[in-house]
Amino acid sequence: MSTTPSDYLEFIDISKQFPGVLALSDISFGVPAGSVRALVGENGAGKSTLLKILSGAHAPTTGHMRIDGRDVLFENTSQAIDAGIAVIYQELQLVPELSIAENIYLGHLPAGAVFIDHKQLWDMTRESMGRVGLGDVSPGTKVGRLSIGQRQMVEIAKALTRNAKIIAFDEPTSSLSSRETEVLFGIIRKLREEGRVIFYVSHRLEEIFEICDSVTVFRDGKHIRTSRSMEGVTRDDIVKDMVGREIVDIYRYQPRPLGDVALRVEGVIGPGLAAPVSFEVRKGEIVGCFGLVGAGRTELMRLLFGVVPRDGGTVEMMGEAVSIQDPTDAIRQGIMLCPEDRKKEGIIPGLSVQENTNISARRHHKRLGFLDSHWEYSNVMERIRELGIKTPSQRQLVKNLSGGNQQKVILARWLAEKIRVLLLDEPTRGIDVGAKSEIYDIIYRLAAEGIGIVAVSSELPEVLGISDRILVFCEGELVGEVLRADATPEKVLSMALPREPKHARASEAVTKGSA
């Protein structure tokens, strides 16, 4: 048992059984006050399940927790909040149409004799926002107008108003700029100095070494190791514990012959782009797209797939101009998209793995207007084997799979179609190092089959590692192109950086517009 008498929080013999899946098995470890503990492991290792037990969203099948020497077992999230626990998830739990003040104090708004005391609410909010570096933003600003980084600060302020002693961050920097990440780390260090317990869940191992005091590793629902100091711990040690094997090169780039131009984009312009964009992708080519948050990469993918109408420009497939008014047109032309937000735009959470896999291509396999049950089963089983999707059954709800396996299900959906060009927007976001390597192998195989691939990523090592050629975006413009042989981190990043920090201008604009 990795606990000591000085631990403020202890997990004691925690297990969690779901139908067909043992998500956690006899988890026991502790964390002292005034420390930042990293929780790492592959997707499906059990980290998220443990956080949901901590937050009261799940009850453990066996075991319990101990907080400040007192045994606890939460029946719901309200009990966890009352006990001083806050979990800040990757998908932030805020209401975009409500103000900052309303979001922070929702459920405990200060009231006068009859109505809400707005003066007190505003004063309380300004004080709370000042603690997280947003004191210059009006409390009345709608959360939907804030940047992702600012919204995260609102979540932290919300936790602090409820006097949270234990705060967990789940992939907090996945959508943040480098500047916003620095601000977040500053806040976390202050929380540590105040004696709080901080959990930090991230697949970005470089962040673990920068911000964390200790690390706990999970694998396959089991507690593998807790290192109570980062001294002497290496990246290779953590990776080996996570995956049970050493990973020397997760990219394993595979050069391949390139064919004719599969996709040509000329002067495409639309929402999110500040200037027309032109480029081409050849058969078998992997074209990486890099840029900071808000650079226009995702917006371009949505324009090409027909999610958002273009204001101008043309798209050619195999040398012929095509009309793409919506995603249905794109699919018919052989353009497929794996979106950035797979949980909201990629998977259908309430449907099974089989239904998510077959939902697009089943239109080709109906008999007299009815579903072809033989094809439905054989197709999903073939894709599960082909992509190595880890699921207890094809009937498993896709929302119960890990992030990496959800991504594979989205890829499986398109493999039953005739793919000419595959658009991948953040294909490994929130995915562990082992699953990333598997996703890369799938990308290389599809490219070797002659499919043109456009891969958007905010992780510079990933773009450099898998791409034949890199398109660099900055503030809505395509500012340059770099061949793989010429690409260095310094060169690509310098092209992607704006001359004047955009986040500063955006923050100033929000402040002025909300005053």
PDB file of all heavy atoms in Angstrom, residues 405-419:
ATOM      1  N   ASN A 405      -9.604   4.220 -28.358  1.00  0.00           N
ATOM      2  CA  ASN A 405     -10.498   3.280 -29.027  1.00  0.00           C
ATOM      3  C   ASN A 405     -11.697   3.975 -29.659  1.00  0.00           C
ATOM      4  O   ASN A 405     -12.205   3.535 -30.687  1.00  0.00           O
ATOM      5  CB  ASN A 405     -10.941   2.199 -28.040  1.00  0.00           C
ATOM      6  CG  ASN A 405      -9.847   1.179 -27.772  1.00  0.00           C
ATOM      7  OD1 ASN A 405      -9.404   0.483 -28.674  1.00  0.00           O
ATOM      8  ND2 ASN A 405      -9.370   1.125 -26.543  1.00  0.00           N
ATOM      9  N   GLN A 406     -12.140   5.088 -29.068  1.00  0.00           N
ATOM     10  CA  GLN A 406     -13.174   5.888 -29.722  1.00  0.00           C
ATOM     11  C   GLN A 406     -12.666   6.435 -31.054  1.00  0.00           C
ATOM     12  O   GLN A 406     -13.389   6.436 -32.057  1.00  0.00           O
ATOM     13  CB  GLN A 406     -13.608   7.035 -28.807  1.00  0.00           C
ATOM     14  CG  GLN A 406     -14.415   6.597 -27.604  1.00  0.00           C
ATOM     15  CD  GLN A 406     -14.752   7.759 -26.691  1.00  0.00           C
ATOM     16  OE1 GLN A 406     -14.348   8.906 -26.925  1.00  0.00           O
ATOM     17  NE2 GLN A 406     -15.495   7.482 -25.637  1.00  0.00           N
ATOM     18  N   GLN A 407     -11.409   6.882 -31.061  1.00  0.00           N
ATOM     19  CA  GLN A 407     -10.821   7.384 -32.307  1.00  0.00           C
ATOM     20  C   GLN A 407     -10.750   6.281 -33.353  1.00  0.00           C
ATOM     21  O   GLN A 407     -11.000   6.513 -34.546  1.00  0.00           O
ATOM     22  CB  GLN A 407      -9.435   7.957 -32.025  1.00  0.00           C
ATOM     23  CG  GLN A 407      -8.803   8.692 -33.197  1.00  0.00           C
ATOM     24  CD  GLN A 407      -9.463  10.026 -33.468  1.00  0.00           C
ATOM     25  OE1 GLN A 407     -10.626  10.084 -33.863  1.00  0.00           O
ATOM     26  NE2 GLN A 407      -8.743  11.103 -33.272  1.00  0.00           N
ATOM     27  N   LYS A 408     -10.414   5.076 -32.931  1.00  0.00           N
ATOM     28  CA  LYS A 408     -10.362   3.949 -33.870  1.00  0.00           C
ATOM     29  C   LYS A 408     -11.744   3.640 -34.440  1.00  0.00           C
ATOM     30  O   LYS A 408     -11.865   3.251 -35.609  1.00  0.00           O
ATOM     31  CB  LYS A 408      -9.795   2.717 -33.179  1.00  0.00           C
ATOM     32  CG  LYS A 408      -8.302   2.797 -32.860  1.00  0.00           C
ATOM     33  CD  LYS A 408      -7.829   1.526 -32.178  1.00  0.00           C
ATOM     34  CE  LYS A 408      -6.369   1.592 -31.799  1.00  0.00           C
ATOM     35  NZ  LYS A 408      -5.928   0.352 -31.105  1.00  0.00           N
ATOM     36  N   VAL A 409     -12.783   3.797 -33.628  1.00  0.00           N
ATOM     37  CA  VAL A 409     -14.145   3.556 -34.115  1.00  0.00           C
ATOM     38  C   VAL A 409     -14.507   4.566 -35.204  1.00  0.00           C
ATOM     39  O   VAL A 409     -15.130   4.220 -36.213  1.00  0.00           O
ATOM     40  CB  VAL A 409     -15.159   3.622 -32.951  1.00  0.00           C
ATOM     41  CG1 VAL A 409     -16.598   3.629 -33.481  1.00  0.00           C
ATOM     42  CG2 VAL A 409     -14.966   2.422 -32.018  1.00  0.00           C
ATOM     43  N   ILE A 410     -14.092   5.828 -35.012  1.00  0.00           N
ATOM     44  CA  ILE A 410     -14.358   6.844 -36.046  1.00  0.00           C
ATOM     45  C   ILE A 410     -13.622   6.480 -37.336  1.00  0.00           C
ATOM     46  O   ILE A 410     -14.176   6.581 -38.438  1.00  0.00           O
ATOM     47  CB  ILE A 410     -13.949   8.236 -35.547  1.00  0.00           C
ATOM     48  CG1 ILE A 410     -14.757   8.616 -34.310  1.00  0.00           C
ATOM     49  CG2 ILE A 410     -14.151   9.282 -36.646  1.00  0.00           C
ATOM     50  CD1 ILE A 410     -14.273   9.881 -33.619  1.00  0.00           C
ATOM     51  N   LEU A 411     -12.372   6.047 -37.220  1.00  0.00           N
ATOM     52  CA  LEU A 411     -11.613   5.606 -38.393  1.00  0.00           C
ATOM     53  C   LEU A 411     -12.285   4.390 -39.031  1.00  0.00           C
ATOM     54  O   LEU A 411     -12.377   4.296 -40.264  1.00  0.00           O
ATOM     55  CB  LEU A 411     -10.181   5.266 -38.001  1.00  0.00           C
ATOM     56  CG  LEU A 411      -9.255   6.445 -37.706  1.00  0.00           C
ATOM     57  CD1 LEU A 411      -7.979   5.976 -37.030  1.00  0.00           C
ATOM     58  CD2 LEU A 411      -8.917   7.197 -38.989  1.00  0.00           C
ATOM     59  N   ALA A 412     -12.765   3.473 -38.188  1.00  0.00           N
ATOM     60  CA  ALA A 412     -13.439   2.269 -38.703  1.00  0.00           C
ATOM     61  C   ALA A 412     -14.662   2.631 -39.531  1.00  0.00           C
ATOM     62  O   ALA A 412     -14.971   1.981 -40.537  1.00  0.00           O
ATOM     63  CB  ALA A 412     -13.843   1.370 -37.534  1.00  0.00           C
ATOM     64  N   ARG A 413     -15.367   3.676 -39.125  1.00  0.00           N
ATOM     65  CA  ARG A 413     -16.558   4.122 -39.862  1.00  0.00           C
ATOM     66  C   ARG A 413     -16.207   4.470 -41.306  1.00  0.00           C
ATOM     67  O   ARG A 413     -16.934   4.134 -42.242  1.00  0.00           O
ATOM     68  CB  ARG A 413     -17.152   5.341 -39.159  1.00  0.00           C
ATOM     69  CG  ARG A 413     -18.362   5.946 -39.853  1.00  0.00           C
ATOM     70  CD  ARG A 413     -18.770   7.228 -39.153  1.00  0.00           C
ATOM     71  NE  ARG A 413     -19.052   6.981 -37.752  1.00  0.00           N
ATOM     72  CZ  ARG A 413     -19.017   7.916 -36.798  1.00  0.00           C
ATOM     73  NH1 ARG A 413     -18.687   9.159 -37.111  1.00  0.00           N
ATOM     74  NH2 ARG A 413     -19.292   7.614 -35.561  1.00  0.00           N
ATOM     75  N   TRP A 414     -15.045   5.144 -41.479  1.00  0.00           N
ATOM     76  CA  TRP A 414     -14.680   5.592 -42.823  1.00  0.00           C
ATOM     77  C   TRP A 414     -14.044   4.488 -43.665  1.00  0.00           C
ATOM     78  O   TRP A 414     -14.063   4.566 -44.893  1.00  0.00           O
ATOM     79  CB  TRP A 414     -13.739   6.789 -42.737  1.00  0.00           C
ATOM     80  CG  TRP A 414     -14.310   7.979 -42.041  1.00  0.00           C
ATOM     81  CD1 TRP A 414     -13.705   8.752 -41.098  1.00  0.00           C
ATOM     82  CD2 TRP A 414     -15.612   8.572 -42.237  1.00  0.00           C
ATOM     83  NE1 TRP A 414     -14.526   9.772 -40.688  1.00  0.00           N
ATOM     84  CE2 TRP A 414     -15.704   9.682 -41.376  1.00  0.00           C
ATOM     85  CE3 TRP A 414     -16.705   8.257 -43.050  1.00  0.00           C
ATOM     86  CZ2 TRP A 414     -16.845  10.475 -41.303  1.00  0.00           C
ATOM     87  CZ3 TRP A 414     -17.849   9.048 -42.978  1.00  0.00           C
ATOM     88  CH2 TRP A 414     -17.907  10.140 -42.121  1.00  0.00           C
ATOM     89  N   LEU A 415     -13.510   3.454 -43.028  1.00  0.00           N
ATOM     90  CA  LEU A 415     -12.853   2.400 -43.800  1.00  0.00           C
ATOM     91  C   LEU A 415     -13.837   1.618 -44.659  1.00  0.00           C
ATOM     92  O   LEU A 415     -13.433   0.973 -45.624  1.00  0.00           O
ATOM     93  CB  LEU A 415     -12.098   1.441 -42.866  1.00  0.00           C
ATOM     94  CG  LEU A 415     -10.879   2.044 -42.161  1.00  0.00           C
ATOM     95  CD1 LEU A 415     -10.187   0.986 -41.313  1.00  0.00           C
ATOM     96  CD2 LEU A 415      -9.895   2.628 -43.165  1.00  0.00           C
ATOM     97  N   ALA A 416     -15.111   1.666 -44.306  1.00  0.00           N
ATOM     98  CA  ALA A 416     -16.120   0.993 -45.127  1.00  0.00           C
ATOM     99  C   ALA A 416     -16.570   1.869 -46.293  1.00  0.00           C
ATOM    100  O   ALA A 416     -17.344   1.426 -47.145  1.00  0.00           O
ATOM    101  CB  ALA A 416     -17.324   0.606 -44.270  1.00  0.00           C
ATOM    102  N   GLU A 417     -16.084   3.114 -46.332  1.00  0.00           N
ATOM    103  CA  GLU A 417     -16.366   4.018 -47.445  1.00  0.00           C
ATOM    104  C   GLU A 417     -15.172   4.017 -48.404  1.00  0.00           C
ATOM    105  O   GLU A 417     -14.101   3.473 -48.098  1.00  0.00           O
ATOM    106  CB  GLU A 417     -16.585   5.445 -46.918  1.00  0.00           C
ATOM    107  CG  GLU A 417     -17.765   5.603 -45.974  1.00  0.00           C
ATOM    108  CD  GLU A 417     -19.081   5.763 -46.708  1.00  0.00           C
ATOM    109  OE1 GLU A 417     -19.091   5.647 -47.962  1.00  0.00           O
ATOM    110  OE2 GLU A 417     -20.099   6.005 -46.034  1.00  0.00           O
ATOM    111  N   LYS A 418     -15.336   4.663 -49.544  1.00  0.00           N
ATOM    112  CA  LYS A 418     -14.237   4.794 -50.500  1.00  0.00           C
ATOM    113  C   LYS A 418     -13.492   6.087 -50.193  1.00  0.00           C
ATOM    114  O   LYS A 418     -13.848   7.161 -50.681  1.00  0.00           O
ATOM    115  CB  LYS A 418     -14.757   4.795 -51.939  1.00  0.00           C
ATOM    116  CG  LYS A 418     -13.638   4.807 -52.974  1.00  0.00           C
ATOM    117  CD  LYS A 418     -14.187   4.767 -54.390  1.00  0.00           C
ATOM    118  CE  LYS A 418     -13.061   4.784 -55.412  1.00  0.00           C
ATOM    119  NZ  LYS A 418     -13.576   4.783 -56.807  1.00  0.00           N
ATOM    120  N   ILE A 419     -12.451   5.977 -49.395  1.00  0.00           N
ATOM    121  CA  ILE A 419     -11.714   7.170 -48.967  1.00  0.00           C
ATOM    122  C   ILE A 419     -10.711   7.581 -50.041  1.00  0.00           C
ATOM    123  O   ILE A 419      -9.932   6.761 -50.521  1.00  0.00           O
ATOM    124  CB  ILE A 419     -10.932   6.920 -47.658  1.00  0.00           C
ATOM    125  CG1 ILE A 419     -11.834   6.349 -46.574  1.00  0.00           C
ATOM    126  CG2 ILE A 419     -10.283   8.209 -47.172  1.00  0.00           C
ATOM    127  CD1 ILE A 419     -11.084   5.975 -45.307  1.00  0.00           C
TER     128      ILE A 419
END
